[in-house]
Amino acid sequence: MSDARVGAARSERVRLRVAEADIGVEAAATSDGAIPGPDGDRVASGSGLSRMTDEREDVSRIVLVLNGPNLNLLGKRQPEIYGRETLADVEADCRRLAGELGLEIEFRQSNREYEIIDWIHEARGRVAGVVINPAAFTHTSVAILDALHAFEGPIIEVHISNVHKREEFRHRSYVSAVASGVIVGCGTQGYALALRRIAALVGAEAG
Ligand code: DHK
């Protein structure tokens, strides 16, 4: 199937899903806005829906930033590895940058796998893209991988530390199999890089 037809099919799926959910938002489901990514997949097609819309079409501008277990202790836990910035600092940086990029951020952290899965489910048909640092679940969670497979938009995986320089069990990521891109070892700056990439993939970047 061509990129345009994949985009159209995906848009139709979103439209149906929204109609089912009856959330009272009108879909702008065209394949025209489809922007192919390097892997020809996981790219927003102008079909996402949101409370925050622009004047051209009802394109979602929401990016869900998900953080896995122990990241609530960021800044305190192993600062020699993860740095001294707290998760609140990261959130503030993300919100500042999102404003510049014309995006809206939903920023969440959980130590519970099921909660992360539920948030991914709720993102379907509503959120433009997902930035996820699954933390330790990266290396263990088929369930998070499966949930991400059910999400239509781009996904950028972030790791603050360079997991490839660390223990061997950290070299394997289940999530990478579904990610459009992976940012590793750039410290907390990785979140900003991920947001910029999502903005480019969903066509939200001003310039
Ligand atoms: C964070 C964690 O908590 C670890 O379990 C991962 C990741 C690496 C990070 O670098 O952000 O192995």
Side-chain angles (χ1 to χ4, degrees):
M1 207 188 282
S2 71
D3 281 350
R5 290 192 54 201
V6 169
R10 217 171 260 158
S11 300
E12 187 58 25
R13 275 203 337 254
V14 172
R15 187 182 5 225
L16 291 172
R17 209 170 280 141
V18 168
E20 275 168 20
D22 191 29
I23 62 172
V25 182
E26 198 183 309
T30 73
S31 60
D32 299 344
I35 302 158
D39 54 4
D41 198 1
R42 303 231 146 258
V43 171
S45 57
S47 58
L49 302 171
S50 101
R51 288 169 281 124
M52 188 182 180
T53 60
D54 70 15
E55 285 170 2
R56 291 167 296 151
E57 50 186 12
D58 293 339
V59 177
S60 175
R61 295 285 187 240
I62 299 175
V63 178
L64 180 60
V65 183
L66 291 177
N67 294 279
N70 301 306
L71 288 169
N72 52 314
L73 295 181
L74 196 64
K76 301 184 191 109
R77 175 179 72 125
Q78 297 182 279
E80 69 287 0
I81 294 176
Y82 299 109
R84 298 209 174 266
E85 253 201 316
T86 66
L87 199 61
D89 295 332
V90 174
E91 178 174 355
D93 289 346
C94 285
R95 290 195 183 284
R96 204 172 308 120
L97 178 61
E100 286 170 27
L101 296 172
L103 298 171
E104 180 184 347
I105 292 289
E106 289 179 7
F107 195 96
R108 301 199 182 138
Q109 186 276 331
S110 182
N111 296 326
R112 300 171 188 87
E113 191 176 14
Y114 78 87
E115 204 160 25
I116 293 171
I117 292 164
D118 285 349
W119 288 334
I120 295 166
H121 291 178
E122 287 163 16
R124 297 173 73 227
R126 185 182 69 83
V127 160
V130 169
V131 171
I132 182 165
N133 182 348
F137 291 150
T138 307
H139 320 297
T140 61
S141 183
V142 176
I144 289 178
L145 169 65
D146 286 349
L148 289 170
H149 267 303
F151 176 71
E152 313 83 355
I155 296 160
I156 305 291
E157 178 184 353
V158 173
H159 300 288
I160 296 166
S161 65
N162 182 353
V163 283
H164 300 291
K165 270 172 102 176
R166 301 179 64 193
E167 303 97 316
E168 197 153 339
F169 68 83
R170 295 185 202 275
H171 298 180
R172 170 182 180 169
S173 166
Y174 282 101
V175 170
S176 295
V178 75
S180 303
V182 182
I183 297 169
V184 167
C186 295
T188 51
Q189 235 191 320
Y191 288 82
L193 298 171
L195 278 181
R196 287 191 186 280
R197 181 63 185 156
I198 293 271
L201 290 173
V202 303
E205 220 162 16

